[in-house]
Amino acid sequence: QVQLVESGGGLVQPGGSLRLSCTVSGTIFGIYMAWYRQAPGKQRELVARITTDRSTKSLDSVKGRFTISRDNVPGAVYLQMDSLKPEDTAVYYCNHYPHTWSWGQGTQVTVSS
């Protein structure tokens, strides 16, 4: 069973930056990966995804601010988040795209002054 471990979250002021990391048990070679987030009282949403050839696509509200990247061996996915806004506050998760595996514990990102 694939295990996902997210890290790198924290409390940051508006305009600040964070870099999230996700380690995957085993290689992710040949697998599309993504970052998702879930804000309090809201459904989980797709933030950004990356293909096997490193083509990326992201949510309109994070375009130009968030960058997804990956290492295939060992499996890892990253999310560089710049110019953070309070509305980015959420628990962030990485997972397969589009068919998700079991979810990891996520990492909390709080953007507040």
Side-chain angles (χ1 to χ4, degrees), residues 61-111:
S61 62
V62 308
K63 281 181 181 176
R65 301 190 296 121
F66 291 10
T67 304
I68 187 172
S69 58
R70 64 188 287 160
D71 289 324
N72 288 332
V73 181
V77 188
Y78 308 98
L79 187 68
Q80 177 66 41
M81 305 189 297
D82 298 316
S83 302
L84 282 160
K85 302 177 180 180
E87 51 264 44
D88 296 319
T89 295
V91 179
Y92 285 71
Y93 305 85
C94 72
N95 213 315
H96 182 274
Y97 174 86
H99 305 294
T100 57
W101 301 311
S102 296
W103 295 93
Q105 84 287 352
T107 186
Q108 175 71 49
V109 171
T110 303
V111 185

Side-chain angles (χ1 to χ4, degrees), residues 33-53:
M33 293 294 295
W35 281 95
Y36 302 79
R37 68 185 179 188
Q38 187 167 21
K42 295 187 177 181
Q43 289 194 332
R44 192 171 294 167
E45 64 178 351
L46 174 68
V47 176
R49 64 105 172 106
I50 184 165
T51 67
T52 53
D53 61 359

